[in-house]
Each structure stands twice: as C-alpha cells, then as structure tokens.
C-alpha cells in the first residue's frame, strides 16, 4: 500500500465531509449544542478545528473588517437603567466612561474603497472600572446565518474566488440559496443603506441578544442599538462610484476631519429588553441572529450617549492593533445561548492571539484601564513588568483573593447533545415586512439590485429559481417583479 497515495490534494477529495484528520463529519451545518439552541459544547472538535483554521487564513491583515477607522471619546449615561443591570458603568445618569470605536467594512481588503456595498462594522470598547466591555456589532441588526458553524463558509462565499481572486456574486447566491434565512439581511444589504455616506451617518447594532442581570439576579435578554444624532444617510450607486473614484478613503477622512474641526459625532444608545419567560410569545426564536425584535412590542429604551471627540494618535497602534471581543463583558452583562454569539466567544480571542500574539491584551489600546491581576504572562512579546515570586493561585505568600461574587445568567440548561437547527425559523416574514415599509422608488432600486446579481450568467437556473421562490415567499409582488424582469415564472 502506498502511504502517500492520499497525500493532501484536491485530486483525492472524498465524496463526503471530513475533519482534517480524515474522520467523517455527518453534519457540517450545525454546531454541537445542548438542545436545539445552546450553548455550544467545547467538545465539538470539528467546530473548534473549523474556526481555528479559519482564523489563521490571513496574516497580518484581519480576515474580515480589515478596512477601518478609529476614534476615541466617552460614553455618558443619560437614563437610569440600574433596575435592569448591576453594571458599574451604567450605575447612574451622568457617569462617563472612556471609549474607543472602530468603524469598518466587512469583506474587502485593507486598501479597498469605502464606497463598496458591504456591511459595516461598528465596534465600541468601553474602558470601565470593572474591565473592558466590547459591543462588537454592525450597521445591520441581522446577519446572513444563524449558526456559527457556517461563518467560515459565508465569508468564503463573499470573498474573492480562490482561483481568480475576483469577487463574484454567483458564489454568494449559490451558498446562501441553501440558507433562506439570509434573505432578511439581503433586505438591508441590497437596500439603500447598503452604502453609508460615511461613518458619522450610520447606525450600529449589537446584532446578538445578550443578557442584563440586576443585583437581585433577574435576567433580561437585551439588544443594543446605536442611533446617530445627525441621522442616517446613504449613497446610491452613481454617487458611490463618483466618490469612490475620487477618494477611496472618504469615510476615514470625513471622520478624522470632522473630529479635528470640533464637529464631534454622537450616537444615542438604546436597548430592547425581553423577559426570557416571554420568548415563546413570538413566532421566531429571539436568539436567532437573522431576526429583529419588533419595536412596537419591545420598544427602544434610551440609555446614554456616545461622543467621539478625539482622533487616534497613531493609526497602526490604535486601529490596526485594536482588538475587540464580544466575550469581553462586565458584571451585570452576560451572554445568551445565541449560537452565532457562542461561536464568536471562542473565535475572536483565537484570531487575536494569531494575528497580534498571545499578549495582545497588554497592548495599550487593548489593555484595561483599571487595576487587574492574573498569572497570564510570559510568551511572545510580553512586556509587562512583574517582580513576583509567586505565579500560581492560591498561595499563602500572595494575599490576592477571589473577586466578590456577582450574578450571571443561571438558567437551567437541558437538552440532548446533538447538532440541531432552531425550531422556529420563520425565514421570510421580516424580510417582506421591511420591503413593504419602503416607498415605491426604494422598492424598485431593491428589485433592480436583485435583477442585476441574478442576471450573472454563472448563476444557474436552479439557483435563480430558488431566489425567486424566496423573494416570492417574503412578498408576492416582489418575487413577481424580479421574475418578470428575468423572464422567469415565480413559483413557491
């Protein structure tokens, strides 16, 4: 037997999915969770291997959100929410916390134009007295997929063709034709808001449901919303081509020059809260990242304001080496069982350790601005001064102790260990509701963008028909209009 007969080569691909070690994978769509929702189990070797390989695909540029701009400022509490959370930085109106914010495009490389149709990142790092808290979100409140197992795949689909290095939408439409839940995010991406006029006129969303916990231990699901005080403004295709052709860094320049001129951008922070005991009242899973929470049922609650009043001092130090992580929470704020969020809790730290090194949290822009103490040191690029003789815990020679206990989400989790999909998908209603809320000219531009991508000759008749079906299920007239322009017959 030739031991090298099956050496790594696409010429020897198996007809089924396997791990890198060759073991069969019977489900490459769902992470291993407790029950159908989560949390994800660390024993899911295939998921950990898949994410770990994904986060090491590029160096030194970020795999996603490579193109970005940062600024510093403060967050000030304007409304009392202490009945909802024991988070110290939200303890009372008037409390201010220093922040750094990074805006970005998601898919394209570091030197790409800032006028490309693409989701935008909106990440905020709060330097609180209890450690750093990061809201790592986007300018859309939803995402294309609902299971972290598929994150490398969706990014691969949006990235350039690995053979030609050309970004091609037939790849996106092919992959997401298997994921009808993605249509809701397309209702944002292919809408006018898909190309923000700059970063100052852009909304931000935490996307995931987190949890707020008060001093009594009461838990609420929470979603975070950033609303710009100067309003939301976007560019249509002609203006984007004109602006991008003249200045590929227009949004970075606008942010920098506005702050330098004293025109400080400001956003209001709102939250939506939901009692976990009420989640069955909805026809969708509230922890599904492809869904929004209806504001007429769960209204926006004002919390505070974010003001960016200082430009960064060095682009590399405070933008390229700036690292956010949704796992960075503080007492009073915790995670939910959202499967996308659960996957990100591992992936972000892992990619930072790969891109910046194991001691990336010692970098000034990432380090907490409060006293902290642990035995995580040594390794590559360690520059913390330490003169201790004891590097273990506990020790009778070191008086350090456990911190005071604080409440976390203590809900009882039960379910069968399995790879499952969410039980309440409801993939089309919210996309249709959003489309019907627009004026006719805005609807027509949405239709035109769909016709453009579906007209690509590399989009097969099968994939084109699937998308017509999805569009029709979200809104019958929408599917009819797209089908008519493509000379197809809509069908469900």
């Amino acid at each position: 037997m030739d031991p090298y007969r099956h050496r790594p080569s696409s010429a020897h691909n198996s007809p089924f999915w396997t791990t890198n070690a060759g073991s069969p994978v019977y489900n490459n769509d769902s992470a291993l969770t407790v029950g159908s929702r989560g949390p994800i189990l660390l024993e899911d070797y295939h998921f950990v291997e898949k994410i770990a390989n994904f986060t090491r695909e590029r160096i030194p540029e970020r795999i996603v959100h490579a193109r970005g701009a940062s600024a510093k400022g403060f967050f000030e509490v304007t409304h009392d929410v202490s009945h909802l959370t024991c988070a110290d930085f939200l303890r009372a109106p008037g409390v201010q916390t220093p922040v750094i914010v990074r805006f970005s495009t998601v898919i394209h490389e570091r030197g790409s134009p800032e006028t490309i149709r693409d989701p935008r990142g909106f990440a905020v790092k709060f330097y609180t007295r209890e450690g750093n808290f990061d809201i790592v979100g986007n300018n859309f409140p939803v995402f294309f997929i609902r299971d972290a197992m598929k994150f490398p795949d969706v990014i691969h689909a949006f990235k350039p063709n690995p053979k030609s290095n050309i970004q091609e939408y037939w790849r996106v439409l092919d992959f997401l034709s298997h994921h009808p839940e993605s249509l809701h995010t397309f209702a944002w991406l292919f809408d006018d808001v898909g190309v923000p006029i700059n970063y100052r006129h852009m909304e931000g969303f935490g996307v995931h449901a987190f949890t707020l916990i008060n001093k009594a231990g009461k838990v609420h699901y929470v979603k975070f919303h950033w609303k710009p005080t100067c309003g939301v403004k976007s560019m249509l295709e002609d203006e984007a081509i004109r602006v991008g052709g003249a200045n590929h860094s227009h949004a970075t320049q606008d942010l920098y020059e506005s702050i330098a001129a004293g025109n400080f951008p400001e956003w209001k922070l709102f939250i939506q809260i939901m009692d976990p005991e009420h989640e069955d009242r909805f026809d969708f899973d509230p922890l599904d990242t492809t869904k929004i929470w209806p504001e007429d049922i769960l209204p926006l609650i004002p919390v505070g304001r974010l003001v960016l009043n200082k430009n960064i001092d060095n682009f590399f130090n405070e933008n390229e080496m700036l690292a956010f992580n949704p796992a960075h929470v503080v007492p009073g704020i915790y995670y939910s069982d959202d499967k996308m969020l659960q996957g990100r809790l591992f992936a972000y730290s892992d990619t930072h350790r790969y891109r910046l090194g194991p001691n990336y949290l010692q970098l000034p822009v990432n380090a907490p601005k409060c006293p902290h103490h642990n035995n995580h040191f040594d390794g590559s690029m360690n520059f913390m001064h330490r003169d201790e003789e004891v590097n273990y815990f506990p020790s009778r020679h070191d008086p350090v102790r456990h911190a005071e206990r604080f409440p976390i989400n203590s809900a009882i989790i039960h379910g069968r260990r399995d790879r499952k999909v969410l039980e309440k998908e409801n993939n089309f209603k919210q996309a249709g509701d959003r489309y019907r809320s627009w004026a006719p000219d805005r609807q027509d531009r949405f239709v035109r963008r769909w016709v453009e991508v579906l007209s690509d000759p590399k989009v097969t008749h099968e994939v084109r028909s699937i998308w017509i079906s999805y569009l029709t299920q979200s809104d019958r007239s929408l599917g009819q209009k797209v089908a008519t322009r493509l000379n197809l017959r809509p069908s469900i």
Side-chain angles (χ1 to χ4, degrees):
M1 178 179 177
D2 180 3
Y4 301 107
R5 179 175 153 215
H6 294 295
R7 64 189 181 278
S9 168
S10 58
H12 302 296
N13 282 347
S14 68
F16 52 85
W17 215 249
T18 73
T19 66
N20 279 351
S23 299
V25 174
Y26 75 86
N27 184 336
N28 190 40
D29 290 316
S30 304
L32 188 64
T33 54
V34 179
S36 63
R37 300 175 79 187
I40 291 175
L41 297 177
L42 189 59
E43 71 183 56
D44 188 353
Y45 165 76
H46 174 54
F47 169 72
V48 172
E49 178 188 62
K50 184 175 181 179
I51 294 294
N53 276 268
F54 173 67
T55 58
R56 288 161 172 79
E57 287 182 1
R58 301 288 188 276
I59 183 172
E61 183 176 286
R62 288 171 170 89
I63 298 174
V64 288
H65 299 275
R67 171 63 135 135
S70 304
K72 296 183 281 191
F74 65 89
F75 174 78
E76 180 181 11
V77 179
T78 57
H79 292 74
D80 185 8
V81 291
S82 59
H83 61 293
L84 296 172
T85 176
C86 59
D88 176 73
F89 80 103
L90 297 175
R91 63 188 179 276
V95 174
Q96 290 190 358
T97 301
V99 301
I100 188 167
V101 178
R102 187 175 188 268
F103 307 99
S104 56
T105 58
V106 173
I107 295 298
H108 302 276
E109 64 274 11
R110 194 163 57 190
S112 59
E114 293 178 305
T115 50
I116 295 177
R117 185 171 298 277
D118 191 12
R120 301 302 195 268
F122 192 124
V124 183
K125 185 182 294 293
F126 300 79
Y127 298 106
T128 86
R129 301 193 306 184
E130 296 180 309
N132 293 350
F133 170 52
D134 294 353
I135 299 179
V136 193
N138 287 335
N139 67 322
F140 302 157
V142 287
F143 196 61
F144 295 96
I145 54 172
R146 54 167 70 103
D147 194 304
M149 181 65 86
K150 305 305 297 181
F151 187 75
D153 301 289
V154 71
I155 299 303
H156 283 168
F158 272 94
K159 287 285 190 180
N161 186 316
K163 184 174 182 178
S164 64
N165 200 42
I166 299 171
Q167 188 182 26
E168 298 169 312
Y169 252 95
W170 68 264
R171 292 161 36 80
V172 176
L173 298 178
D174 173 36
F175 170 69
L176 289 177
S177 70
H178 298 276
H179 299 279
E181 67 269 24
S182 65
L183 184 60
H184 192 195
T185 305
F186 275 120
W188 292 79
L189 180 64
F190 283 0
D191 180 26
D192 292 349
V193 298
V195 185
I197 195 169
N198 54 45
Y199 295 133
R200 293 183 297 119
H201 293 85
M202 191 176 81
E203 289 181 292
F205 301 92
V207 182
H208 302 289
F210 283 78
T211 52
L212 294 182
I213 305 138
N214 65 17
K215 292 179 181 178
K218 173 60 180 174
V219 174
H220 286 92
Y221 292 144
V222 62
K223 287 206 171 192
F224 299 102
H225 302 252
W226 297 106
K227 303 291 184 183
T229 58
C230 56
V232 176
K233 295 182 181 179
S234 306
M235 287 190 283
L236 300 184
E237 282 80 351
D238 290 347
E239 184 181 4
I241 292 171
R242 177 180 58 80
V243 172
N247 180 3
H248 82 300
S249 301
H250 83 283
T252 297
Q253 182 175 343
D254 173 83
L255 179 67
Y256 190 91
E257 292 182 350
S258 296
I259 294 174
N263 180 22
F264 302 142
E266 183 173 334
W267 287 261
K268 303 293 186 183
L269 176 63
F270 295 86
I271 59 174
Q272 288 177 287
I273 61 169
M274 179 190 300
D275 191 322
E277 295 180 1
H278 298 164
E279 61 177 275
D280 290 337
R281 299 179 180 180
F282 298 89
D283 59 2
F284 61 92
D285 193 312
L287 305 188
D288 181 350
T289 51
T290 70
K291 302 294 185 292
I292 59 172
W293 293 355
E295 293 180 15
D296 57 337
I297 301 174
L298 302 171
L300 298 179
I301 300 171
V303 177
R305 67 188 187 115
L306 168 70
V307 179
L308 299 181
N309 59 3
K310 188 179 188 304
N311 279 311
I312 57 177
D313 301 308
N314 180 276
F315 184 81
F316 184 79
N317 288 351
E318 296 180 297
N319 186 79
E320 293 304 290
M321 294 203 297
L322 175 58
F324 295 90
N325 191 338
H328 292 165
V329 294
V330 292
I333 303 174
Y334 200 66
Y335 320 119
S336 75
D337 292 340
D338 171 353
K339 289 201 275 189
M340 279 295 295
L341 173 61
Q342 289 277 319
R344 293 177 80 196
L345 301 182
F346 164 78
Y348 277 65
S349 297
D350 190 52
T351 193
H352 297 330
R353 283 189 287 267
Y354 170 65
R355 193 174 70 87
L356 299 172
N359 288 304
Y360 73 95
L361 284 172
Q362 292 183 21
L363 295 168
V365 71
N366 298 324
K369 303 299 183 267
C370 61
H372 57 285
H373 179 80
N374 56 55
N375 291 323
H376 302 166
F377 60 97
D378 289 351
S380 176
M381 299 301 292
N382 170 55
F383 53 88
M384 179 178 289
H385 173 71
R386 308 181 73 101
D387 58 7
E388 301 99 337
E389 292 185 290
V390 174
N391 61 351
Y392 48 86
F393 177 88
S395 168
R396 291 182 173 84
H397 298 280
D398 187 349
V400 67
R401 56 177 173 78
H402 288 116
E404 298 300 319
R405 185 179 179 88
F406 54 86
I408 64 171
N409 185 359
S410 58
I412 297 173
I413 301 169
H414 59 85
R416 188 185 301 275
R417 178 192 283 109
D418 206 347
R419 301 183 185 275
K420 303 282 287 185
V421 298
L422 294 182
E423 296 173 358
K424 291 191 290 185
E425 294 191 354
N426 201 351
N427 292 322
F428 305 110
K429 181 180 182 298
Q430 291 191 357
D433 290 343
R434 179 169 171 80
Y435 172 78
R436 288 184 288 273
S437 72
W438 298 333
D441 61 329
R442 189 169 175 178
Q443 290 182 347
D444 190 64
R445 288 190 292 271
F446 184 69
V447 169
R448 176 171 52 78
R449 290 167 190 139
W450 269 109
V451 171
E452 181 180 343
V453 296
L454 289 173
S455 297
D456 187 324
K458 294 198 73 171
V459 176
T460 66
H461 177 76
E462 178 187 13
V463 169
R464 195 175 289 125
S465 299
I466 289 171
W467 281 108
I468 294 295
S469 170
Y470 292 166
L471 293 166
T472 303
Q473 290 179 76
S474 67
D475 184 271
R476 187 169 294 275
S477 66
L478 168 61
Q480 179 68 55
K481 289 176 182 177
V482 175
T484 299
R485 298 193 193 184
L486 291 170
N487 294 319
L488 293 174
R489 179 178 298 174
S491 62
I492 299 179

